[in-house]
Amino acid sequence: MSREMPPAHPFDDDKLKEECGIFGVIGLTDAANFVALGLHALQHRGQEAGGIVSHDPELGFNSVRRFGYVRDNFTRQSLMETLPGPLAIGHVRYSTAGAKGAAIRDVQPFFGEFSMGGAAIAHNGNITNANALRRELIERGSIFQSGSDSECIIHLMARSLQRNIPERMEDALRRVEGAFSVVAMTRSELIGVRDPLGVRPLVLGQLGEGWVLSSETCALDIIGATFVREIEPGEMVVISARHGVESHFPFRRQQPRFCIFEHVYFSRPDSIIGGRSVYETRHQIGVELAREAPVEADLVCPVPDSGTPAAIGYSHESGIPYAMGIIRNQYMGRTFIEPTEQIRNMGVRLKLNVNRALIKGKRVILVDDSVVRGTTSRKIKEMILDAGAREVHFRIASPPTAWPCFYGVDTPQREKLLAATMSEDEMREHLAVDSLRFISLDGLYRAVGEAGGRNAKCPQYCDACFSGEYPVAPSDMIEKGFELKAAE
Ligand code: SF4
């Protein structure tokens, strides 16, 4: 069965969207309940659909995959009773590869039955050579069940000659290019893997006798698990009741290139990345931004919610008072109302409202995390001016987004990105604001903890959406005609 889904945010298509969150538990009674809670905490990473697979020693594997929010599906007792056992993994998705508004068959985790037993996998990221792999696998007899790039991993595992599932997974993942954090399970093992560059996050936690794998630490907190450590780039952990946590490094070691945008926007501010809270990093981005792009004004206001920590940082550093000049309606969800033409025209007003009493007659600095198409920025500026602001200055907590992401983030085509077609000055004119400044790439690196800024010869992070320097060549896209940035 398939059905069309409306976009996750019909009034907010002007943000990059993280595509997936993954979570797994071993060694806890009714593990699927913990997975449901973990996925709920990771819902910001994907709102289109979710799925859970569990394993019970007597009842075997069971799975449930549903469209919609975790809270609307996986809180129902009757449904959770169909997912028994001490081992479970889960996935929330938007959608990257696989069609948008996709069928239930594209919803993960995916399951495969092998001669040595079953295995389920949940993948966060994007396989950049998936088209080539899919062609090869189909020619050799594989029958695909979905349009998802992640299914390639199951078919590659089926073709491997290794003796056990973790070894088959290693084999499969050596063929895969791009970004992947994977949580997988066999009948008795929970497996976690990060790609050699560690583009997407994955952390290990512990709860009593049980072990937990999660995209972010905020999802450990919700179940009361302790954060143990990040899974290292290129590391595979195999966790079982018998052997505890075993660590392997099956890939050639490389300089890690974690996604710098996780710091800016994707991860929740209460998560910990690289030993520091994401909130603290975003605050520091605001501090750097204030140093790089000062301006005389009366108020610093965030574009809620994602601009808030950087706006507070900007205010602290500049000494200009912070104020909630824009209020977000927290209850503006997908299910609220059908986005008819008339409703669409109300646009951003359905979600954001200006605090007129604060704004009137003021010179306002608006801090946002990014500018993608620029459509929302323009509307927000109009709302602020309508409310009587004297000046509007945009300060952006990331460099201009001029290149699409091919590593598990939904980005418009390059020509739709404002920064791909306009200079900073042209963007200021286009948005018709008094000033517009983005944090520099070096400033962003300093804010995330690299005191010396970006190492141009060997960048410490993936920053391809800003720099156009892709750490893994997006071979499927190049085949379709995508042009890489010319060497300087
Ligand atoms: S291209 Fe941008 S969003 Fe994508 S992984 Fe790299 S830094 Fe993150």
Side-chain angles (χ1 to χ4, degrees):
M1 187 183 79
S2 72
R3 70 179 169 122
E4 289 293 310
M5 292 292 294
H9 300 285
F11 313 107
D12 185 13
D13 64 347
D14 199 16
K15 292 278 177 206
L16 299 190
K17 290 182 191 74
E18 176 63 68
E19 304 296 354
C20 302
I22 51 179
F23 198 83
V25 167
I26 187 168
L28 296 176
T29 307
D30 293 328
N33 283 329
F34 292 97
V35 171
L37 284 168
L39 294 179
H40 176 61
L42 296 174
Q43 192 82 79
H44 59 290
R45 300 182 74 87
Q47 297 92 42
E48 191 180 71
I52 298 178
V53 171
S54 72
H55 182 268
D56 178 83
E58 283 176 14
L59 300 167
F61 286 96
N62 281 286
S63 77
V64 173
R65 298 185 286 174
R66 291 279 191 276
F67 287 114
Y69 291 122
V70 174
R71 64 162 190 246
D72 295 334
N73 290 311
F74 294 97
T75 45
R76 301 207 317 264
Q77 195 186 352
S78 55
L79 193 144
M80 295 313 291
E81 279 170 359
T82 67
L83 293 166
L87 178 48
I89 64 170
H91 187 267
V92 283
R93 87 193 284 264
Y94 181 63
S95 63
T96 9
K100 291 277 157 37
I104 198 78
R105 67 198 177 105
D106 289 326
V107 179
Q108 300 188 37
F110 291 128
F111 181 80
E113 195 68 67
F114 306 103
S115 54
M116 66 284 288
I121 66 163
H123 167 219
N124 173 206
N126 196 34
I127 299 173
T128 51
N129 63 337
N131 289 354
L133 286 174
R134 179 180 277 259
R135 269 199 312 269
E136 175 196 317
L137 286 160
I138 289 173
E139 270 165 27
R140 291 166 66 194
S142 295
I143 299 170
F144 276 74
Q145 310 270 326
S146 77
S148 167
D149 61 331
S150 314
E151 197 189 336
C152 288
I153 301 171
I154 288 279
H155 292 287
L156 289 166
M157 286 169 68
R159 300 211 154 256
S160 166
L161 300 174
Q162 297 295 340
R163 289 168 301 127
N164 61 44
I165 286 170
E167 285 174 3
R168 285 186 173 218
M169 188 171 288
E170 282 183 28
D171 249 9
L173 292 174
R174 279 197 206 97
R175 297 280 326 273
V176 160
E177 295 168 8
F180 54 84
S181 281
V182 172
V183 166
M185 62 188 274
T186 67
R187 286 175 296 202
S188 57
E189 294 152 320
L190 176 66
I191 302 167
V193 196
R194 271 179 94 189
D195 67 72
L197 302 179
V199 175
R200 303 256 75 90
L202 189 63
V203 300
L204 176 68
Q206 194 167 20
L207 178 59
E209 299 294 300
W211 293 96
V212 185
L213 290 168
S214 171
S215 292
E216 291 182 43
T217 64
C218 66
L220 302 179
D221 297 337
I222 197 173
I223 63 165
T226 316
F227 170 53
V228 176
R229 66 177 177 86
E230 292 182 10
I231 303 301
E232 287 182 41
E235 182 181 13
M236 170 185 268
V237 289
V238 180
I239 310 170
S240 62
R242 224 164 124 212
H243 301 292
V245 180
E246 295 175 303
S247 167
H248 312 266
F249 286 87
F251 312 107
R252 187 173 60 81
R253 292 262 191 173
Q254 296 179 49
Q255 157 78 38
R257 300 288 296 274
F258 182 62
C259 166
I260 204 163
F261 223 128
E262 291 278 353
H263 286 291
V264 174
Y265 176 68
F266 300 137
S267 292
R268 258 175 51 169
D270 51 338
S271 283
I272 307 285
I273 298 178
R276 188 160 78 155
S277 91
V278 173
Y279 178 91
E280 210 179 314
T281 300
R282 289 182 191 161
H283 184 280
Q284 193 56 32
I285 292 173
V287 169
E288 284 288 341
L289 193 51
R291 288 177 189 157
E292 287 188 352
V295 62
E296 277 190 25
D298 304 308
L299 290 178
V300 179
C301 302
V303 176
D305 294 320
S306 49
T308 303
I312 295 172
Y314 193 104
S315 165
H316 276 180
E317 182 63 16
S318 64
I320 300 170
Y322 170 87
M324 295 287 286
I326 301 174
I327 306 297
R328 182 188 180 97
N329 180 347
Q330 304 291 348
Y331 301 98
M332 188 63 219
R334 162 194 281 159
T335 51
F336 170 63
I337 198 163
E338 279 298 309
T340 60
E341 198 53 39
Q342 194 184 5
I343 296 286
R344 260 183 207 288
N345 287 339
M346 295 179 191
V348 78
R349 281 172 205 277
L350 288 169
K351 201 180 64 180
L352 303 175
N353 193 26
V354 175
N355 201 342
R356 286 173 175 268
L358 271 179
I359 295 295
K360 196 159 188 271
K362 301 281 180 15
R363 296 168 299 169
V364 179
I365 301 172
L366 282 179
V367 180
D368 204 353
D369 58 86
S370 56
V371 172
V372 180
R373 291 181 171 91
T375 45
T376 306
S377 313
R378 242 185 117 108
K379 286 177 190 154
I380 290 171
K381 182 254 346 191
E382 280 160 16
M383 285 167 63
I384 293 276
L385 285 180
D386 285 352
R390 204 146 47 91
E391 292 174 14
V392 180
H393 302 273
F394 260 114
R395 292 294 177 272
I396 310 299
S398 58
T401 307
W403 296 85
C405 174
F406 300 118
Y407 306 134
V409 170
D410 184 44
T411 344
Q413 287 173 329
R414 180 143 201 258
E415 52 277 16
K416 301 261 171 62
L417 296 169
L418 200 64
T421 52
M422 292 184 195
S423 67
E424 210 167 301
D425 245 12
E426 288 168 334
M427 283 192 270
R428 187 195 60 72
E429 269 176 40
H430 174 79
L431 298 176
V433 285
D434 293 282
S435 74
L436 166 71
R437 292 287 301 277
F438 296 79
I439 193 168
S440 69
L441 202 44
D442 266 332
L444 178 57
Y445 269 75
R446 282 194 297 276
V448 300
E450 300 289 339
R454 182 178 193 257
N455 179 344
K457 287 208 180 94
C458 188
Q460 307 90 316
Y461 283 86
C462 175
D463 54 28
C465 46
F466 310 125
S467 65
E469 293 172 27
Y470 291 89
V472 180
S475 49
D476 283 345
M477 295 311 294
I478 292 170
E479 198 181 291
K480 284 185 187 164
F482 175 77
E483 286 181 31
L484 291 173
K485 184 173 153 182
E488 282 167 7

